[in-house]
Amino acid sequence: MHRPPTTYQVDGTAIRTRRKELGLSRNDCASKARISGPYLSQIETGVRRDLRPPTYKRLRTVLNVPADDRRLLAPAEDQQGQESDARHEGPSGEDGH
C-alpha cells in the first residue's frame, strides 16, 4: 500500500515564479496559505525545502496548481534518498549523525 510522503521537497524558484505569475505579493500569498511571510521567503530562496503535506496543499491551492501537477516540487533526482530523512528538520543531504 502506498503511503503519502511525510514531507514534500519543493522548488522555491518554481514557487516564486508561479506566485509572481499570479501577481501575488509574498505576504499576500503567505497569508492566504496560512504561513508567515518570512517562512515563504525561506521556501522561495531554498533555505527551506521540505513542507509538510497540509502546508504544501495550502500553498499549492493558493497558487492554483492542481494536485497532480508536480511543477512546485523539486526534481526527482534531488529527492532520492531523502524520504528516510524527511521527518528531520535539519538541512537536506546531511547525514545528521
Side-chain angles (χ1 to χ4, degrees):
M1 184 173 172
H2 176 72
R3 295 185 330 192
T6 55
T7 62
Y8 289 92
Q9 283 199 333
V10 295
D11 179 345
T13 301
I15 290 170
R16 181 185 315 113
T17 298
R18 181 63 181 152
R19 174 178 62 78
K20 288 183 174 187
E21 287 173 353
L22 296 173
L24 293 171
S25 72
R26 182 180 295 136
N27 286 335
D28 190 35
C29 180
S31 177
K32 289 178 180 186
R34 297 189 324 230
I35 59 176
S36 72
Y39 184 61
L40 180 55
S41 177
Q42 291 176 342
I43 293 166
E44 289 184 350
T45 60
V47 172
R48 295 194 181 254
R49 294 182 46 154
D50 296 332
L51 296 182
R52 295 187 185 275
T55 305
Y56 174 69
K57 181 179 178 183
R58 289 192 311 267
L59 188 57
R60 194 187 72 231
T61 300
V62 169
L63 297 175
N64 296 322
V65 175
D68 61 348
D69 188 329
R70 301 184 52 83
R71 78 178 110 165
L72 302 182
L73 297 176
E77 61 270 9
D78 288 352
Q79 295 186 29
Q80 289 183 1
Q82 297 298 319
E83 188 170 339
S84 63
D85 293 333
R87 68 182 83 91
H88 300 291
E89 295 296 325
S92 296
E94 294 180 11
D95 65 8
H97 299 289

